[in-house]
Amino acid sequence: MTGTIDGTGHDERLRRWRMVLGGGEADGTGCSLTGTDAAMDGALTALYGGGARKPGESGTGRDRSAGLGASAPSVARWLGDIRTYFPSSVVQVMQRDAIDRLGLSTLLLEPEMLEAVEADVHLVGTLLSLNKVMPETTKETARAVVRKVVDDLEKRLATRTRATLTGALDRSARISRPRHRDIDWDRTIRANLKNYLPEYRTVVPERLIGYGRAAQSVKKDVVLCIDQSGSMAASVVYASVFGAVLASMRSIATRLVVFDTAVVDLTDQLDDPVDVLFGTQLGGGTDINRALAYCQSQITRPADTVVVLISDLYEGGIRDEMLKRVAAMKASGVQFVALLALSDEGAPAYDREHAAALAALGAPAFACTPDLFPEVMAAAIEKRPLPVPDAAAAPRNP
């Protein structure tokens, strides 16, 4: 039995199965698609099919075929189609799949293609990896795409980051004679429990503990040390945005260092994260030891310094020297944070042996989402345990 699915009643179940199975004799539904459903199926077929349908052919679904080809006009039309039929989150996934499955990276070097895509963090990572081979006619459009993503991220992340870290800086500036509004009552009560008067059911606070308001002077030094190997693309984007946010806070002196087998200090570009991103070069090897050696040489106030290493820990340099540097920094009073990733991409691949070695030094390595990052930095500034997500934590030292 064959027929047409109208998308209503019990046909909705058949419609969904038909969209999943892709048509043909083996799909078992015996039905065909019409109208918008047929167009949606055609867009899916062009990307996920396995035959040889030509670009631009209508998608009845009888033969799932990869039909994008290497033609910018047909890809641009396809990008327009998927933005018409699917929500933004699905569009971004399909774009990434198209780049990975069909080798469309080179087409992103054309301005008209960039204007058609749905911009997101992963697209920015792809553009950065193509930066060195990008023609001059495309660079202006590429910067505009990157600028849009960066601006959106800053709007989402900046306010909460500044508020969280300002509070942490205030609390870290403990004083012994605080004003009433600056008294830390929890610490004050714990410090004066010996002065409890049972007959009055109260504690006599002989010693007040509080925190002063952060002044305009620098309170903490933060060093962001970012692995720019190809697998860290999303982390590089988020770290650059956070670096710019931190640099905008007068009470934090921020340094941003990127590395592969070489080390590049991009601190002087932190006023514009887009400049930072275009100063990176995704891909290549990894020498964490060399990067940490440079960061270590820049530390002048170890007790007031937080070093954040963002890397999957696949070390191409000298492993033992890397671990010795981490141990030396921690012994000097530096707060050392190791993030396997700074992104929303889920559990990353990482070097478990190196992660376990860092954990043995008291520096557990874990993946961190952008939303968690302000809390991680606040904990490091206040020198309290880091909020390590159980599901993302690397092996810890027992």
Side-chain angles (χ1 to χ4, degrees):
M1 176 180 176
T2 60
T4 299
I5 297 174
D6 59 18
T8 61
H10 69 279
D11 285 338
E12 177 63 18
R13 180 178 297 177
L14 285 177
R15 170 183 174 272
R16 290 175 178 271
W17 277 112
R18 169 60 185 78
M19 295 289 285
V20 170
L21 296 173
E25 296 179 358
D27 78 356
T29 64
C31 297
S32 61
L33 301 174
T34 61
T36 300
D37 285 347
M40 292 173 63
D41 186 66
L44 292 168
T45 295
L47 175 57
Y48 298 111
R53 179 167 55 81
K54 296 179 181 179
E57 287 186 0
S58 61
T60 62
R62 289 197 175 95
D63 55 343
R64 285 261 169 162
S65 58
L68 291 181
S71 164
S74 65
V75 174
R77 286 194 297 272
W78 178 80
L79 288 168
D81 288 343
I82 64 174
R83 293 174 71 175
T84 299
Y85 301 126
F86 301 100
S88 177
S89 58
V90 175
V91 169
Q92 292 171 4
V93 171
M94 293 180 72
Q95 287 179 170
R96 293 200 298 273
D97 286 348
I99 292 168
D100 294 339
R101 291 166 61 94
L102 304 180
L104 301 183
S105 296
T106 54
L107 291 182
L108 294 178
L109 302 180
E110 302 185 21
E112 62 271 20
M113 273 288 294
L114 287 179
E115 292 171 356
V117 295
E118 186 83 17
D120 68 347
V121 169
H122 301 90
L123 177 63
V124 169
T126 301
L127 291 177
L128 296 179
S129 69
L130 299 171
N131 182 30
K132 301 304 179 183
V133 297
M134 190 176 294
E136 290 299 323
T137 55
T138 306
K139 285 189 175 181
E140 184 176 347
T141 305
R143 287 186 71 91
V145 171
V146 173
R147 174 77 60 191
K148 180 181 183 302
V149 174
V150 166
D151 288 348
D152 289 344
L153 288 177
E154 279 195 293
K155 289 176 184 177
R156 177 165 74 88
L157 301 171
T159 300
R160 180 167 171 266
T161 300
R162 292 191 185 100
T164 300
L165 297 191
T166 297
L169 290 163
D170 287 346
R171 289 187 295 273
S172 68
R174 301 292 175 181
I175 57 177
S176 58
R177 301 180 67 180
R179 293 172 294 181
H180 184 271
R181 66 178 181 178
D182 295 332
I183 295 174
D184 185 332
W185 288 107
D186 288 340
R187 288 191 173 215
T188 295
I189 291 171
R190 287 198 296 270
N192 290 278
L193 286 176
K194 63 181 179 180
N195 300 321
Y196 178 67
L197 301 179
E199 62 272 25
Y200 294 103
R201 301 179 66 182
T202 190
V203 172
V204 177
E206 290 183 348
R207 183 165 68 93
L208 298 177
I209 300 174
Y211 45 85
R213 300 298 166 188
Q216 297 300 314
S217 59
V218 172
K219 297 297 182 183
K220 294 289 181 180
D221 296 335
V222 173
V223 181
L224 299 177
C225 185
I226 308 167
D227 183 344
Q228 62 176 352
S229 57
S231 60
M232 303 296 294
S235 297
V236 170
V237 176
Y238 281 113
S240 298
V241 172
F242 277 117
V245 173
L246 295 177
S248 70
M249 301 178 65
R250 294 183 180 180
S251 51
I252 297 178
T254 306
R255 182 173 294 277
L256 189 143
V257 176
V258 298
F259 68 93
D260 41 34
T261 53
V263 180
V264 180
D265 192 327
L266 298 176
T267 302
D268 60 351
Q269 299 179 39
L270 271 175
D271 58 332
D272 188 345
V274 175
D275 287 341
V276 171
L277 288 171
F278 277 94
T280 64
Q281 185 173 351
L282 293 177
T286 307
D287 193 338
I288 302 173
N289 177 56
R290 174 178 290 187
L292 291 181
Y294 176 79
C295 294
Q296 191 176 23
S297 71
Q298 302 301 306
I299 296 173
T300 58
R301 305 189 306 154
D304 293 312
T305 298
V306 178
V307 173
V308 183
L309 172 65
I310 304 174
S311 173
D312 54 18
L313 302 181
Y314 288 110
E315 170 66 317
I318 306 174
R319 174 185 183 274
D320 291 341
E321 287 296 318
M322 174 191 76
L323 297 175
K324 286 180 182 178
R325 291 191 190 283
V326 174
M329 282 189 275
K330 287 183 63 64
S332 69
V334 171
Q335 296 298 109
F336 190 88
V337 179
L339 301 182
L340 301 170
L342 178 56
S343 72
D344 288 313
E345 295 181 323
Y350 61 93
D351 189 307
R352 294 180 177 273
E353 183 180 350
H354 289 163
L358 287 176
L361 296 175
F366 58 97
C368 178
T369 65
D371 288 337
L372 180 63
F373 185 73
E375 298 297 335
V376 170
M377 291 302 299
I381 286 172
E382 295 183 62
K383 300 184 178 181
R384 53 183 172 84
L386 302 178
V388 180
D390 291 338
R396 299 195 192 197
N397 190 45

